[in-house]
Amino acid sequence: MVFHRNTLLELLDGVHTFEKEVYPQKKDLFQSLAYDQTPPTLFITCADSRISPSLITQTEPGELFLIRNVGNIVPAYGNMVGAVASAIEYAVGALRVKNIIICGHSNCGAMSALINLATNPDKLANMPTVRRWLHNAEAAAATISDLRAEDVGPKDVRDLAEANVRLQLTHLKTHPIVAKALSRNELNVQGWYYDIQNGRMYILNDENKKEYSVEEAIALLKKPNSTDND
Ligand SMILES: [Zn+2]
């Protein structure tokens, strides 16, 4: 059973531990970050509490510029002027990130909601904003054949989560600042799928519906004459 910091007191207690024990160990790092950030990576993932981007990538403060929302969604350019589009512009235009990752995950509530949107929209009646937001992922649901809420299994939810990551990568590339950086080979863009239960990441392949293990993705990047740029 997981220990949760349920009360505000327990949450503040965690901050207190950070101030007294964690910060002193990394004081130099925090002081070096005091006035500036130069994160190499924009990491876009779901708001889901079970995803800890720094933990799963073993990165420190200052390394990941984050966008988090329900379903790791990137609305296509022009569809919504808001948090996602402005953070992308800032990350690519001002911070000049070198990598953009879109990371979906197992058992995603947004994917279940998306299945409901396609099959049983009344279930989302009390969440009109979520319902509108999920329209940005509707095309992913359309690629999963015969989606019916009653016989959707774990594999369908995973297929949908991966299809959603691929769709959001497509949307990402409609943002002019991203398209420009890609055309100049200044940016790597990759889709990931995170399996919470097994602690495994899968790297999605652009060209086909396959995915790679992290070991395979590393080997491909290290291969001489790799088409992926570093
Ligand atoms: Zn999620």
Side-chain angles (χ1 to χ4, degrees), residues 61-119:
E63 291 188 81
L64 297 181
F65 193 74
L66 280 168
I67 298 175
R68 301 192 72 156
N69 61 51
V70 171
N72 40 270
I73 284 168
V74 178
Y77 184 71
N79 273 6
M80 276 183 189
V81 177
V84 176
S86 51
I88 288 168
E89 265 184 24
Y90 185 69
V92 180
L95 299 174
R96 307 213 171 276
V97 296
K98 299 281 173 271
N99 314 298
I100 302 180
I101 306 298
I102 299 181
C103 180
H105 68 100
S106 58
N107 194 241
C108 181
M111 296 305 104
S112 305
L114 197 54
I115 290 166
N116 281 322
L117 188 71
T119 60

Side-chain angles (χ1 to χ4, degrees), residues 9-28:
L9 183 65
E10 286 166 333
L11 193 65
L12 286 170
D13 199 44
V15 179
H16 195 233
T17 303
F18 168 76
E19 288 183 349
K20 297 290 171 195
E21 294 173 25
V22 181
Y23 171 81
Q25 290 168 16
K26 297 191 173 187
K27 194 175 173 185
D28 290 348

